[in-house]
Short mmCIF file of all heavy atoms in Angstrom, two decimals:
data_model
loop_
_atom_site.label_atom_id
_atom_site.label_comp_id
_atom_site.label_asym_id
_atom_site.label_seq_id
_atom_site.Cartn_x
_atom_site.Cartn_y
_atom_site.Cartn_z
N MET E 1263 0.83 -1.20 0.01
CA MET E 1263 -0.04 -0.02 0.02
C MET E 1263 0.86 1.17 -0.01
O MET E 1263 1.99 1.22 0.58
CB MET E 1263 -0.93 -0.06 1.21
CG MET E 1263 -2.06 0.83 1.07
SD MET E 1263 -3.34 0.06 2.15
CE MET E 1263 -4.26 1.38 2.67
N GLY E 1264 0.42 2.30 -0.65
CA GLY E 1264 1.22 3.55 -0.73
C GLY E 1264 1.19 4.33 0.55
O GLY E 1264 0.66 4.00 1.60
N ARG E 1265 1.83 5.51 0.42
CA ARG E 1265 1.85 6.42 1.57
C ARG E 1265 0.49 7.00 1.80
O ARG E 1265 -0.30 7.16 0.91
CB ARG E 1265 2.84 7.58 1.35
CG ARG E 1265 4.31 7.15 1.19
CD ARG E 1265 5.25 8.29 1.05
NE ARG E 1265 4.54 9.58 0.71
CZ ARG E 1265 5.06 10.58 0.11
NH1 ARG E 1265 6.35 10.63 -0.18
NH2 ARG E 1265 4.42 11.70 -0.10
N PRO E 1266 0.23 7.35 3.09
CA PRO E 1266 -1.09 8.00 3.41
C PRO E 1266 -1.16 9.36 2.75
O PRO E 1266 -0.19 10.08 2.56
CB PRO E 1266 -1.10 8.16 4.91
CG PRO E 1266 0.11 7.40 5.43
CD PRO E 1266 0.99 7.08 4.29
N ILE E 1267 -2.44 9.71 2.29
CA ILE E 1267 -2.60 11.02 1.66
C ILE E 1267 -3.03 11.98 2.73
O ILE E 1267 -3.79 11.61 3.61
CB ILE E 1267 -3.76 10.92 0.63
CG1 ILE E 1267 -3.38 9.92 -0.51
CG2 ILE E 1267 -4.02 12.35 0.04
CD1 ILE E 1267 -4.47 9.60 -1.45
N PRO E 1268 -2.36 13.14 2.79
CA PRO E 1268 -2.79 14.16 3.79
C PRO E 1268 -4.22 14.48 3.70
O PRO E 1268 -4.88 14.41 2.67
CB PRO E 1268 -1.91 15.38 3.45
CG PRO E 1268 -0.82 14.89 2.70
CD PRO E 1268 -1.31 13.63 1.91
N ASN E 1269 -4.89 14.76 4.88
CA ASN E 1269 -6.27 15.09 4.94
C ASN E 1269 -6.71 16.17 3.99
O ASN E 1269 -7.82 16.11 3.37
CB ASN E 1269 -6.70 15.40 6.32
CG ASN E 1269 -6.80 14.25 7.27
OD1 ASN E 1269 -6.83 13.07 6.81
ND2 ASN E 1269 -6.85 14.43 8.59
N GLU E 1270 -5.88 17.23 3.82
CA GLU E 1270 -6.23 18.36 2.92
C GLU E 1270 -6.38 17.82 1.53
O GLU E 1270 -7.33 18.17 0.76
CB GLU E 1270 -5.20 19.49 3.04
CG GLU E 1270 -5.12 20.11 4.43
CD GLU E 1270 -4.23 19.29 5.34
OE1 GLU E 1270 -3.44 18.46 4.90
OE2 GLU E 1270 -4.43 19.57 6.65
N ALA E 1271 -5.40 16.97 1.09
CA ALA E 1271 -5.46 16.44 -0.26
C ALA E 1271 -6.61 15.47 -0.47
O ALA E 1271 -7.29 15.55 -1.48
CB ALA E 1271 -4.13 15.65 -0.51
N LEU E 1272 -7.01 14.72 0.55
CA LEU E 1272 -8.15 13.87 0.48
C LEU E 1272 -9.46 14.72 0.33
O LEU E 1272 -10.34 14.36 -0.46
CB LEU E 1272 -8.28 13.01 1.74
CG LEU E 1272 -7.59 11.70 1.76
CD1 LEU E 1272 -7.63 10.99 3.15
CD2 LEU E 1272 -8.16 10.78 0.71
N LEU E 1273 -9.51 15.81 1.14
CA LEU E 1273 -10.71 16.66 0.98
C LEU E 1273 -10.84 17.23 -0.43
O LEU E 1273 -11.92 17.28 -0.94
CB LEU E 1273 -10.69 17.69 2.02
CG LEU E 1273 -10.93 17.33 3.43
CD1 LEU E 1273 -10.72 18.47 4.39
CD2 LEU E 1273 -12.30 16.82 3.68
N LEU E 1274 -9.73 17.65 -1.01
CA LEU E 1274 -9.73 18.17 -2.38
C LEU E 1274 -10.19 17.13 -3.36
O LEU E 1274 -10.97 17.38 -4.28
CB LEU E 1274 -8.46 18.76 -2.73
CG LEU E 1274 -8.01 20.04 -2.00
CD1 LEU E 1274 -6.59 20.44 -2.37
CD2 LEU E 1274 -8.96 21.18 -2.36
N GLU E 1275 -9.66 15.89 -3.19
CA GLU E 1275 -10.01 14.86 -4.10
C GLU E 1275 -11.42 14.43 -3.91
O GLU E 1275 -12.10 14.13 -4.95
CB GLU E 1275 -9.12 13.61 -3.78
CG GLU E 1275 -9.12 12.62 -4.88
CD GLU E 1275 -8.10 11.51 -4.68
OE1 GLU E 1275 -7.17 11.65 -3.89
OE2 GLU E 1275 -8.13 10.52 -5.41
N ILE E 1276 -11.97 14.42 -2.70
CA ILE E 1276 -13.38 14.13 -2.47
C ILE E 1276 -14.24 15.12 -3.20
O ILE E 1276 -15.20 14.79 -3.88
CB ILE E 1276 -13.70 14.12 -0.91
CG1 ILE E 1276 -13.05 12.91 -0.35
CG2 ILE E 1276 -15.20 14.18 -0.69
CD1 ILE E 1276 -13.07 12.93 1.18
N GLU E 1277 -13.95 16.39 -3.05
CA GLU E 1277 -14.70 17.47 -3.72
C GLU E 1277 -14.70 17.34 -5.22
O GLU E 1277 -15.73 17.47 -5.83
CB GLU E 1277 -14.18 18.88 -3.21
CG GLU E 1277 -14.99 20.03 -3.77
CD GLU E 1277 -16.44 20.00 -3.32
OE1 GLU E 1277 -16.81 19.38 -2.31
OE2 GLU E 1277 -17.28 20.71 -4.04
N GLU E 1278 -13.47 17.13 -5.77
CA GLU E 1278 -13.40 16.96 -7.26
C GLU E 1278 -14.25 15.74 -7.73
O GLU E 1278 -14.98 15.85 -8.69
CB GLU E 1278 -11.93 16.83 -7.64
CG GLU E 1278 -11.78 16.69 -9.17
CD GLU E 1278 -12.35 17.87 -9.98
OE1 GLU E 1278 -12.36 19.02 -9.46
OE2 GLU E 1278 -12.82 17.63 -11.04
N LYS E 1279 -14.07 14.66 -7.01
CA LYS E 1279 -14.85 13.44 -7.41
C LYS E 1279 -16.33 13.60 -7.22
O LYS E 1279 -17.10 13.14 -8.04
CB LYS E 1279 -14.37 12.26 -6.61
CG LYS E 1279 -14.52 10.88 -7.17
CD LYS E 1279 -13.83 10.71 -8.49
CE LYS E 1279 -12.39 10.41 -8.46
NZ LYS E 1279 -11.88 10.01 -9.80
N ARG E 1280 -16.76 14.40 -6.20
CA ARG E 1280 -18.18 14.67 -5.98
C ARG E 1280 -18.73 15.51 -7.16
O ARG E 1280 -19.81 15.22 -7.64
CB ARG E 1280 -18.29 15.36 -4.64
CG ARG E 1280 -19.74 15.58 -4.24
CD ARG E 1280 -19.79 16.43 -3.01
NE ARG E 1280 -19.45 17.80 -3.23
CZ ARG E 1280 -20.21 18.75 -3.79
NH1 ARG E 1280 -21.41 18.46 -4.07
NH2 ARG E 1280 -19.73 19.94 -3.95
N LYS E 1281 -17.96 16.43 -7.58
CA LYS E 1281 -18.45 17.28 -8.72
C LYS E 1281 -18.57 16.44 -9.94
O LYS E 1281 -19.52 16.60 -10.67
CB LYS E 1281 -17.43 18.47 -8.98
CG LYS E 1281 -17.44 19.52 -7.92
CD LYS E 1281 -16.36 20.52 -8.21
CE LYS E 1281 -16.27 21.66 -7.08
NZ LYS E 1281 -15.28 22.58 -7.37
N GLN E 1282 -17.59 15.57 -10.19
CA GLN E 1282 -17.65 14.63 -11.40
C GLN E 1282 -18.97 13.75 -11.26
O GLN E 1282 -19.64 13.53 -12.21
CB GLN E 1282 -16.47 13.79 -11.46
CG GLN E 1282 -15.22 14.54 -11.74
CD GLN E 1282 -13.97 13.65 -11.73
OE1 GLN E 1282 -14.01 12.41 -11.57
NE2 GLN E 1282 -12.77 14.25 -11.75
N MET E 1283 -19.19 13.25 -10.01
CA MET E 1283 -20.40 12.44 -9.85
C MET E 1283 -21.66 13.16 -10.13
O MET E 1283 -22.55 12.61 -10.78
CB MET E 1283 -20.41 11.89 -8.39
CG MET E 1283 -21.59 11.01 -8.07
SD MET E 1283 -21.62 10.53 -6.32
CE MET E 1283 -21.99 12.07 -5.57
N ILE E 1284 -21.78 14.40 -9.65
CA ILE E 1284 -23.01 15.22 -9.92
C ILE E 1284 -23.14 15.46 -11.34
O ILE E 1284 -24.25 15.30 -11.90
CB ILE E 1284 -22.94 16.51 -9.12
CG1 ILE E 1284 -23.04 16.19 -7.59
CG2 ILE E 1284 -24.02 17.54 -9.55
CD1 ILE E 1284 -22.78 17.37 -6.66
N GLN E 1285 -22.04 15.81 -12.01
CA GLN E 1285 -22.12 16.07 -13.46
C GLN E 1285 -22.56 14.84 -14.23
O GLN E 1285 -23.36 14.87 -15.18
CB GLN E 1285 -20.72 16.60 -13.99
CG GLN E 1285 -20.76 17.09 -15.40
CD GLN E 1285 -21.69 18.25 -15.57
OE1 GLN E 1285 -21.80 19.15 -14.73
NE2 GLN E 1285 -22.42 18.26 -16.70
N SER E 1286 -22.02 13.71 -13.82
CA SER E 1286 -22.37 12.41 -14.48
C SER E 1286 -23.85 12.13 -14.25
O SER E 1286 -24.52 11.68 -15.17
CB SER E 1286 -21.47 11.31 -13.97
OG SER E 1286 -21.90 10.08 -14.49
N GLY E 1287 -24.28 12.42 -13.07
CA GLY E 1287 -25.71 12.20 -12.76
C GLY E 1287 -26.58 12.97 -13.62
O GLY E 1287 -27.64 12.58 -14.08
N LEU E 1288 -26.19 14.28 -13.89
CA LEU E 1288 -26.99 15.15 -14.71
C LEU E 1288 -26.90 14.71 -16.19
O LEU E 1288 -28.00 14.74 -16.89
CB LEU E 1288 -26.49 16.57 -14.57
CG LEU E 1288 -26.66 17.22 -13.18
CD1 LEU E 1288 -25.97 18.53 -13.15
CD2 LEU E 1288 -28.24 17.44 -12.89
N GLU E 1289 -25.79 14.25 -16.64
CA GLU E 1289 -25.61 13.88 -18.05
C GLU E 1289 -26.11 12.46 -18.37
O GLU E 1289 -26.66 12.24 -19.38
CB GLU E 1289 -24.18 13.97 -18.42
CG GLU E 1289 -23.72 15.45 -18.49
CD GLU E 1289 -22.19 15.56 -18.71
OE1 GLU E 1289 -21.52 14.53 -18.99
OE2 GLU E 1289 -21.67 16.70 -18.71
N ASN E 1290 -25.80 11.57 -17.42
CA ASN E 1290 -26.02 10.08 -17.74
C ASN E 1290 -27.12 9.45 -16.92
O ASN E 1290 -27.45 8.29 -17.16
CB ASN E 1290 -24.73 9.33 -17.47
CG ASN E 1290 -23.57 9.91 -18.19
OD1 ASN E 1290 -23.61 10.08 -19.39
ND2 ASN E 1290 -22.53 10.18 -17.52
N GLY E 1291 -27.61 10.14 -15.85
CA GLY E 1291 -28.65 9.63 -14.96
C GLY E 1291 -27.99 9.06 -13.69
O GLY E 1291 -26.81 8.67 -13.68
N LEU E 1292 -28.79 9.08 -12.69
CA LEU E 1292 -28.25 8.64 -11.31
C LEU E 1292 -27.93 7.17 -11.30
O LEU E 1292 -27.14 6.80 -10.40
CB LEU E 1292 -29.29 9.04 -10.26
CG LEU E 1292 -29.62 10.52 -10.09
CD1 LEU E 1292 -30.65 10.73 -9.03
CD2 LEU E 1292 -28.30 11.27 -9.74
N ARG E 1293 -28.53 6.41 -12.12
CA ARG E 1293 -28.32 4.94 -12.05
C ARG E 1293 -27.31 4.44 -13.17
O ARG E 1293 -27.17 3.27 -13.32
CB ARG E 1293 -29.66 4.18 -12.22
CG ARG E 1293 -30.58 4.51 -11.11
CD ARG E 1293 -31.93 3.86 -11.26
NE ARG E 1293 -32.08 2.98 -10.02
CZ ARG E 1293 -32.90 2.02 -9.95
NH1 ARG E 1293 -33.74 1.73 -10.90
NH2 ARG E 1293 -33.00 1.28 -8.93
N SER E 1294 -26.69 5.34 -13.82
CA SER E 1294 -25.79 4.95 -14.85
C SER E 1294 -24.54 4.35 -14.24
O SER E 1294 -24.15 4.64 -13.11
CB SER E 1294 -25.28 6.13 -15.73
OG SER E 1294 -24.41 6.94 -15.04
N ASP E 1295 -23.83 3.46 -14.95
CA ASP E 1295 -22.64 2.81 -14.44
C ASP E 1295 -21.63 3.85 -14.04
O ASP E 1295 -20.87 3.66 -13.00
CB ASP E 1295 -22.05 1.81 -15.48
CG ASP E 1295 -22.90 0.61 -15.64
OD1 ASP E 1295 -23.73 0.30 -14.73
OD2 ASP E 1295 -22.83 -0.17 -16.63
N LYS E 1296 -21.40 4.88 -14.89
CA LYS E 1296 -20.42 5.89 -14.57
C LYS E 1296 -20.64 6.59 -13.28
O LYS E 1296 -19.81 6.83 -12.44
CB LYS E 1296 -20.27 6.85 -15.71
CG LYS E 1296 -19.15 7.87 -15.51
CD LYS E 1296 -19.07 8.79 -16.73
CE LYS E 1296 -17.92 9.80 -16.51
NZ LYS E 1296 -17.70 10.70 -17.59
N THR E 1297 -21.94 6.97 -13.17
CA THR E 1297 -22.34 7.74 -11.94
C THR E 1297 -22.20 6.85 -10.66
O THR E 1297 -21.62 7.32 -9.68
CB THR E 1297 -23.78 8.25 -12.00
OG1 THR E 1297 -23.90 9.06 -13.20
CG2 THR E 1297 -24.19 9.05 -10.83
N LEU E 1298 -22.56 5.58 -10.74
CA LEU E 1298 -22.46 4.77 -9.74
C LEU E 1298 -21.02 4.42 -9.34
O LEU E 1298 -20.66 4.32 -8.07
CB LEU E 1298 -23.20 3.37 -9.89
CG LEU E 1298 -24.70 3.56 -10.00
CD1 LEU E 1298 -25.36 2.21 -10.39
CD2 LEU E 1298 -25.29 4.03 -8.67
N GLN E 1299 -20.17 4.36 -10.35
CA GLN E 1299 -18.73 4.08 -10.13
C GLN E 1299 -18.07 5.30 -9.41
O GLN E 1299 -17.30 5.16 -8.43
CB GLN E 1299 -18.04 3.89 -11.39
CG GLN E 1299 -16.53 3.59 -11.32
CD GLN E 1299 -15.91 3.47 -12.69
OE1 GLN E 1299 -16.21 4.21 -13.63
NE2 GLN E 1299 -15.02 2.51 -12.77
N LEU E 1300 -18.53 6.53 -9.79
CA LEU E 1300 -18.03 7.68 -9.11
C LEU E 1300 -18.46 7.78 -7.69
O LEU E 1300 -17.75 8.27 -6.81
CB LEU E 1300 -18.36 9.00 -9.93
CG LEU E 1300 -17.67 9.16 -11.30
CD1 LEU E 1300 -18.33 10.14 -12.17
CD2 LEU E 1300 -16.21 9.53 -10.99
N SER E 1301 -19.70 7.34 -7.51
CA SER E 1301 -20.25 7.35 -6.15
C SER E 1301 -19.46 6.44 -5.22
O SER E 1301 -19.14 6.74 -4.05
CB SER E 1301 -21.73 6.85 -6.20
OG SER E 1301 -22.26 6.78 -4.84
N VAL E 1302 -19.03 5.29 -5.73
CA VAL E 1302 -18.29 4.34 -4.95
C VAL E 1302 -16.90 4.96 -4.71
O VAL E 1302 -16.41 4.85 -3.55
CB VAL E 1302 -18.14 2.94 -5.74
CG1 VAL E 1302 -17.05 2.08 -5.07
CG2 VAL E 1302 -19.40 2.21 -5.74
N GLN E 1303 -16.34 5.70 -5.64
CA GLN E 1303 -15.06 6.34 -5.48
C GLN E 1303 -15.16 7.39 -4.35
O GLN E 1303 -14.24 7.54 -3.52
CB GLN E 1303 -14.56 6.87 -6.72
CG GLN E 1303 -14.12 5.82 -7.72
CD GLN E 1303 -13.77 6.40 -9.12
OE1 GLN E 1303 -13.59 7.65 -9.30
NE2 GLN E 1303 -13.65 5.54 -10.12
N VAL E 1304 -16.21 8.17 -4.37
CA VAL E 1304 -16.45 9.21 -3.32
C VAL E 1304 -16.56 8.49 -2.01
O VAL E 1304 -15.93 8.97 -1.07
CB VAL E 1304 -17.71 10.00 -3.62
CG1 VAL E 1304 -18.04 10.92 -2.48
CG2 VAL E 1304 -17.51 10.89 -4.91
N ASP E 1305 -17.30 7.45 -1.85
CA ASP E 1305 -17.48 6.72 -0.63
C ASP E 1305 -16.11 6.22 -0.17
O ASP E 1305 -15.76 6.32 1.11
CB ASP E 1305 -18.46 5.49 -0.83
CG ASP E 1305 -19.86 5.89 -0.89
OD1 ASP E 1305 -20.18 7.11 -0.67
OD2 ASP E 1305 -20.66 5.06 -1.35
N ASN E 1306 -15.33 5.66 -0.99
CA ASN E 1306 -13.96 5.11 -0.62
C ASN E 1306 -13.15 6.25 -0.11
O ASN E 1306 -12.33 6.06 0.88
CB ASN E 1306 -13.31 4.42 -1.77
CG ASN E 1306 -13.97 3.06 -2.12
OD1 ASN E 1306 -14.72 2.53 -1.25
ND2 ASN E 1306 -13.81 2.63 -3.25
N LEU E 1307 -13.11 7.40 -0.84
CA LEU E 1307 -12.29 8.49 -0.37
C LEU E 1307 -12.80 9.06 1.02
O LEU E 1307 -11.96 9.41 1.83
CB LEU E 1307 -12.40 9.63 -1.37
CG LEU E 1307 -11.57 9.36 -2.68
CD1 LEU E 1307 -12.01 10.39 -3.71
CD2 LEU E 1307 -10.14 9.39 -2.45
N MET E 1308 -14.14 9.11 1.17
CA MET E 1308 -14.68 9.54 2.46
C MET E 1308 -14.32 8.63 3.60
O MET E 1308 -13.94 9.03 4.75
CB MET E 1308 -16.20 9.77 2.36
CG MET E 1308 -16.49 10.94 1.52
SD MET E 1308 -18.28 11.19 1.23
CE MET E 1308 -18.85 11.49 2.86
N ASN E 1309 -14.34 7.27 3.35
CA ASN E 1309 -13.90 6.28 4.30
C ASN E 1309 -12.50 6.46 4.65
O ASN E 1309 -12.10 6.37 5.86
CB ASN E 1309 -14.25 4.84 3.78
CG ASN E 1309 -15.68 4.55 3.79
OD1 ASN E 1309 -16.50 5.13 4.51
ND2 ASN E 1309 -16.02 3.61 2.95
N ALA E 1310 -11.67 6.67 3.68
CA ALA E 1310 -10.17 6.91 3.88
C ALA E 1310 -10.04 8.16 4.75
O ALA E 1310 -9.13 8.12 5.73
CB ALA E 1310 -9.44 7.01 2.60
N PHE E 1311 -10.70 9.22 4.47
CA PHE E 1311 -10.66 10.43 5.26
C PHE E 1311 -11.07 10.18 6.72
O PHE E 1311 -10.33 10.55 7.64
CB PHE E 1311 -11.46 11.54 4.63
CG PHE E 1311 -11.47 12.83 5.42
CD1 PHE E 1311 -10.41 13.64 5.36
CD2 PHE E 1311 -12.51 13.11 6.23
CE1 PHE E 1311 -10.40 14.84 6.12
CE2 PHE E 1311 -12.59 14.27 7.01
CZ PHE E 1311 -11.45 15.16 6.93
N ASN E 1312 -12.15 9.51 6.91
CA ASN E 1312 -12.63 9.22 8.24
C ASN E 1312 -11.71 8.39 9.01
O ASN E 1312 -11.49 8.56 10.21
CB ASN E 1312 -14.04 8.63 8.19
CG ASN E 1312 -15.11 9.64 7.79
OD1 ASN E 1312 -15.00 10.83 8.07
ND2 ASN E 1312 -16.15 9.15 7.16
N GLN E 1313 -11.20 7.36 8.39
CA GLN E 1313 -10.19 6.47 9.07
C GLN E 1313 -8.93 7.27 9.43
O GLN E 1313 -8.40 7.02 10.53
CB GLN E 1313 -9.81 5.33 8.16
CG GLN E 1313 -10.88 4.28 8.03
CD GLN E 1313 -10.54 3.19 7.07
OE1 GLN E 1313 -9.56 3.24 6.35
NE2 GLN E 1313 -11.35 2.14 7.05
N SER E 1314 -8.49 8.17 8.52
CA SER E 1314 -7.34 8.97 8.82
C SER E 1314 -7.55 9.84 10.05
O SER E 1314 -6.72 9.95 10.91
CB SER E 1314 -7.04 9.79 7.65
OG SER E 1314 -5.96 10.72 7.87
N ARG E 1315 -8.68 10.49 10.09
CA ARG E 1315 -9.08 11.33 11.22
C ARG E 1315 -9.23 10.54 12.52
O ARG E 1315 -8.76 10.97 13.55
CB ARG E 1315 -10.32 12.09 10.98
CG ARG E 1315 -10.15 13.31 10.04
CD ARG E 1315 -11.35 14.24 9.93
NE ARG E 1315 -11.93 14.58 11.18
CZ ARG E 1315 -11.61 15.51 12.01
NH1 ARG E 1315 -10.60 16.27 11.68
NH2 ARG E 1315 -12.32 15.76 13.08
N SER E 1316 -9.85 9.34 12.43
CA SER E 1316 -9.99 8.53 13.54
C SER E 1316 -8.62 8.12 14.14
O SER E 1316 -8.38 8.12 15.33
CB SER E 1316 -10.83 7.26 13.30
OG SER E 1316 -12.15 7.64 13.00
N ALA E 1317 -7.74 7.72 13.26
CA ALA E 1317 -6.40 7.35 13.64
C ALA E 1317 -5.68 8.45 14.29
O ALA E 1317 -4.99 8.31 15.29
CB ALA E 1317 -5.58 6.74 12.46
N HIS E 1318 -5.83 9.64 13.67
CA HIS E 1318 -5.14 10.80 14.21
C HIS E 1318 -5.68 11.15 15.62
O HIS E 1318 -4.86 11.44 16.55
CB HIS E 1318 -5.40 12.04 13.30
CG HIS E 1318 -4.88 13.30 13.83
ND1 HIS E 1318 -3.48 13.57 13.87
CD2 HIS E 1318 -5.45 14.37 14.36
CE1 HIS E 1318 -3.28 14.78 14.40
NE2 HIS E 1318 -4.45 15.26 14.68
N LEU E 1319 -6.97 11.11 15.81
CA LEU E 1319 -7.48 11.35 17.15
C LEU E 1319 -7.15 10.38 18.12
O LEU E 1319 -6.87 10.59 19.29
CB LEU E 1319 -9.07 11.43 17.02
CG LEU E 1319 -9.58 12.68 16.25
CD1 LEU E 1319 -11.13 12.51 16.10
CD2 LEU E 1319 -9.27 13.98 16.90
N PHE E 1320 -7.04 9.04 17.72
CA PHE E 1320 -6.68 8.01 18.59
C PHE E 1320 -5.28 8.13 19.11
O PHE E 1320 -4.96 7.98 20.31
CB PHE E 1320 -6.87 6.63 17.90
CG PHE E 1320 -6.40 5.50 18.72
CD1 PHE E 1320 -7.18 4.96 19.73
CD2 PHE E 1320 -5.16 4.81 18.46
CE1 PHE E 1320 -6.75 3.90 20.54
CE2 PHE E 1320 -4.80 3.80 19.29
CZ PHE E 1320 -5.60 3.27 20.26
N TYR E 1321 -4.29 8.44 18.13
CA TYR E 1321 -2.92 8.51 18.51
C TYR E 1321 -2.57 9.86 19.17
O TYR E 1321 -1.62 10.04 19.79
CB TYR E 1321 -2.03 8.35 17.32
CG TYR E 1321 -2.03 6.85 16.83
CD1 TYR E 1321 -2.59 6.58 15.58
CD2 TYR E 1321 -1.52 5.87 17.66
CE1 TYR E 1321 -2.61 5.24 15.19
CE2 TYR E 1321 -1.60 4.56 17.31
CZ TYR E 1321 -2.10 4.21 16.01
OH TYR E 1321 -2.11 2.94 15.61
N LYS E 1322 -3.50 10.80 19.03
CA LYS E 1322 -3.28 12.18 19.68
C LYS E 1322 -3.46 12.08 21.21
O LYS E 1322 -2.84 12.81 21.92
CB LYS E 1322 -4.19 13.14 19.05
CG LYS E 1322 -3.89 14.59 19.51
CD LYS E 1322 -4.90 15.52 18.69
CE LYS E 1322 -4.63 16.94 19.13
NZ LYS E 1322 -5.49 17.91 18.41
N HIS E 1323 -4.30 11.14 21.67
CA HIS E 1323 -4.59 11.07 23.10
C HIS E 1323 -3.54 10.17 23.73
O HIS E 1323 -2.92 9.41 23.52
CB HIS E 1323 -6.00 10.47 23.30
CG HIS E 1323 -7.04 11.48 22.88
ND1 HIS E 1323 -6.84 12.77 22.96
CD2 HIS E 1323 -8.32 11.23 22.42
CE1 HIS E 1323 -8.02 13.44 22.51
NE2 HIS E 1323 -8.86 12.49 22.20
#
């Protein structure tokens, strides 16, 4: 596995992927393969962000 991505970079990536997902939903429909794939990518990025924050909070104490 690669190096962890800083939280700021993850937030920027989440926002960019979210915009792509919304655009795909408007162009291709909410149930299109492309929109659903982007949704999964957003979920994965958000999970990575949440895990990173949880680990940071855990090790901070």
Side-chain angles (χ1 to χ4, degrees):
M1263 200 152 148
R1265 291 183 352 198
I1267 301 173
N1269 284 345
E1270 297 82 18
L1272 271 172
L1273 287 173
L1274 291 172
E1275 195 171 350
I1276 289 167
E1277 183 61 20
E1278 180 59 32
K1279 205 57 83 171
R1280 186 185 69 80
K1281 288 177 183 177
Q1282 292 174 12
M1283 179 185 67
I1284 291 169
Q1285 188 63 38
S1286 177
L1288 293 170
E1289 293 175 3
N1290 306 306
L1292 297 178
R1293 299 180 118 194
S1294 74
D1295 287 341
K1296 182 176 181 179
T1297 303
L1298 294 174
Q1299 181 182 42
L1300 288 164
S1301 176
V1302 168
Q1303 291 174 13
V1304 170
D1305 288 346
N1306 289 338
L1307 288 167
M1308 290 175 65
N1309 288 336
F1311 177 79
N1312 288 331
Q1313 287 176 349
S1314 173
R1315 283 193 40 88
S1316 292
H1318 174 74
L1319 293 173
F1320 176 78
Y1321 290 114
K1322 188 175 180 179
H1323 292 330

